């Protein structure tokens, strides 16, 4: 992998407005972070499967999506076997969703929309720093 | 107090009634000796007829006073008196509720009488004929469960039979019954005995008739009770069903709020955090534009919610008979534009006069949404074809609505087909409301809906209503 490449995050959300907001927020607080947004989880999967593409450091995943929802994505994502952090970013404050997310050990965090500066830096700080230390 | 007053009234009525009725009421009073509601019906009736038989016994025996007095047979007169005494004592013992003592006294008294008569005027007088009725009485006056008491009574009876035969062969009678004159005591006794046997059979017959009547009445009461319980149970289960439907709706509502209402709201919140009051206009314009879009999205969702919630009010309409064919025709009118544009055909495969007892508006909504879905999710290479089949059995009415559209991948979306805001195709027209509304409507009518589908062949919705 190209070590000089900028760190990258994925946003998977069927709501384009939500993706737009997230992009605008990250651009503002971390201008050097690469951002890719997907309105369909399948597209994100295909992107991850392609070895030529740069892998993201973290994936922000919405749960409530048509066709392939967040849980479907997690099941497929597990099969690929990539070591990438997944953070659930959803408008649902439903406790059953939270519990389900906690049980899934590939999901590192559960963030209720909207994403804030504090939440983003809190989530990404650890591995961005560890990346730097390498 | 109240019962005392009622008894007074009864007595007054009795005083006013005629002579015959007076005798009847006196007899009734006597036969009720020892009878109370506390004892079971069977025993009550047995006691009453036992008392009545004692009265009849007294009446039957009474002429012998005259007969024996005229012949100057004084010992037999005494025996007749003892007969009377034992009959009266039996009634009295019953009155005192010494039922078993009364039973034994009846057996003992009558047998002693027979023995005495045989001793005084000889075996040929025919008093021994009463042994024929004795065993019948035993089975009548005792409860069949009192096997021990019955055994003792039969033993007692046998002892007396033995004694009477001993007397017959060993004792010369005190009086010659030919002295009575032209009266044949043997035939008199035989007639009385036959009369008693007939009376006994009449009693048995009447007893079983009354027993049957009371059983029938009891059964009727029980059936009414059961009916009542079933009604209250079905009411409770209906209430429970309504409640669980309401609960489900509430759950769905809370799901909508937590997932769908919050979504544009969180966007608005997010974009507001990006708005910078004193900054250059370029980004703020974008933020404002996005906020406006989110607000519109929110408005749309709240409108949907409104539609879903107001659908519940349709339940206030009354159920009535609706011709399925007419209902389909009406939906066809509502969807005329889409049907024409797509070239869709609606086939009806059921008997022309099939009726449903249902709420018309809800049925319309169900058919409308299913037809619309079928037209919207048609395959591009074929004209949409919707087939409605219906079947009515005694218990259920089943509607099967099938199309030749793209189908739903049920293996994948099985649990999400009827959920709100879940769409399955690439088709952007659907917003995931129709099938949710259909299921909610079917459940409102107390029905069930299930789905079968094959990709690129079509989808089949099966709706079952209870009649």
């Amino acid at each position: 992998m190209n070590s000089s490449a900028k760190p990258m995050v994925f946003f998977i959300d069927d709501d384009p407005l939500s993706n737009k907001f997230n992009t605008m927020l990250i651009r503002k607080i971390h201008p050097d972070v690469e951002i890719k947004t997907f309105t369909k989880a399948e597209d994100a999967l295909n992107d991850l499967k392609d070895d030529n593409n740069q892998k993201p450091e973290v994936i922000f995943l919405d749960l409530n999506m048509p066709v392939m929802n967040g849980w479907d994505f997690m099941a497929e994502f597990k099969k690929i076997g990539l070591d990438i952090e997944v953070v659930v970013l959803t408008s649902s404050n439903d406790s059953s969703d939270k519990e389900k997310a906690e049980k899934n050990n590939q999901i590192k965090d559960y963030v209720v929309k909207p994403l804030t500066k504090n939440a983003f830096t809190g989530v990404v700080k650890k591995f961005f720093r560890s990346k730097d230390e390498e | 107090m109240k019962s005392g007053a009622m008894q007074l009234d009864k007595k007054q009525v009795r005083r006013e009634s005629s002579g015959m009725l007076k005798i009847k009421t006196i007899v009734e009073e006597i036969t009720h000796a020892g009878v109370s509601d506390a004892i079971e019906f069977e025993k009550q009736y047995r006691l009453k007829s036992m008392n009545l038989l004692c009265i009849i016994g007294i009446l039957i025996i009474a002429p012998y006073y005259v007969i024996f007095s005229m012949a100057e047979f004084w010992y037999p007169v005494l025996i007749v008196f003892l007969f009377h005494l034992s009959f009266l004592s039996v009634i009295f013992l019953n009155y005192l509720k010494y039922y078993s003592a009364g039973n034994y006294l009846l057996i003992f008294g009558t047998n002693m009488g027979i023995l005495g008569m045989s001793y005084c005027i000889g075996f040929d007088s025919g008093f021994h004929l009463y042994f024929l009725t004795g065993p019948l009485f035993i089975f009548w006056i005792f409860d069949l469960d009192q096997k021990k008491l019955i055994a003792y009574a039969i033993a007692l009876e046998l002892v007396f039979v033995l004694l009477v035969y001993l007397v017959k062969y060993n004792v010369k009678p005190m009086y010659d019954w030919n002295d009575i004159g032209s009266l044949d005591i043997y035939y008199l006794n035989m007639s009385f005995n036959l009369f008693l046997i007939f009376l006994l059979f009449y009693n048995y017959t009447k007893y079983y008739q009354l027993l049957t009547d009371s059983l029938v009445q009891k059964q009727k009461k029980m059936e009414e009770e059961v009916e009542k319980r079933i009604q209250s149970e079905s009411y409770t289960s209906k209430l429970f069903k309504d409640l669980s439907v309401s609960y489900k709706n509430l759950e769905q509502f809370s799901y909508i709020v937590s997932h769908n209402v919050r979504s544009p709201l969180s966007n608005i919140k997010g974009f507001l955090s990006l708005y910078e009051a004193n900054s250059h206009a370029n980004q703020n314009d974008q933020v404002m534009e996005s906020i406006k879009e989110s607000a519109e999205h929110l408005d749309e969702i709240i409108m949907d919610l409104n539609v879903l919630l107001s659908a519940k009010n349709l339940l206030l309409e009354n159920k009535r008979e609706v011709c399925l064919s007419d209902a389909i025709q009406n939906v066809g009118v509502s969807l005329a534009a889409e049907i024409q544009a797509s070239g869709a055909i609606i086939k009806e495969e059921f008997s022309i006069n099939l009726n449903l007892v249902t709420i018309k508006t809800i049925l319309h909504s169900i058919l409308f949404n299913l037809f619309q879905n079928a037209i919207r999710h048609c395959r591009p290479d074929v004209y949409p074809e919707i087939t409605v089949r219906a079947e009515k059995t005694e218990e259920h009415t089943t509607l099967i609505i099938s199309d030749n559209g793209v189908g739903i991948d049920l293996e994948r979306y099985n649990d999400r087909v009827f959920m709100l805001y879940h769409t399955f195709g690439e088709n952007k027209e659907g917003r995931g409301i129709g099938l949710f509304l259909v299921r909610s409507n079917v459940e409102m009518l107390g029905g069930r809906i299930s789905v079968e589908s094959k990709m690129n062949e079509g989808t089949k919705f099966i709706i079952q209503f209870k009649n």
Side-chain angles (χ1 to χ4, degrees), chain A residues 4-20:
Chain A
S4 67
K6 290 179 185 175
M8 183 184 257
V9 290
F10 274 15
F11 284 100
I12 308 172
D13 195 322
D14 63 307
D15 178 11
L17 269 178
S18 191
N19 283 332
K20 186 178 173 190

Side-chain angles (χ1 to χ4, degrees), chain B residues 400-420:
Chain B
I400 300 170
I401 294 134
S402 46
D403 63 44
N404 59 346
V406 292
I408 304 170
D409 186 356
L410 284 179
E411 265 178 47
R412 207 158 150 191
Y413 305 115
N414 193 20
D415 52 338
R416 283 183 252 154
V417 173
F418 296 105
M419 279 170 81
L420 188 61

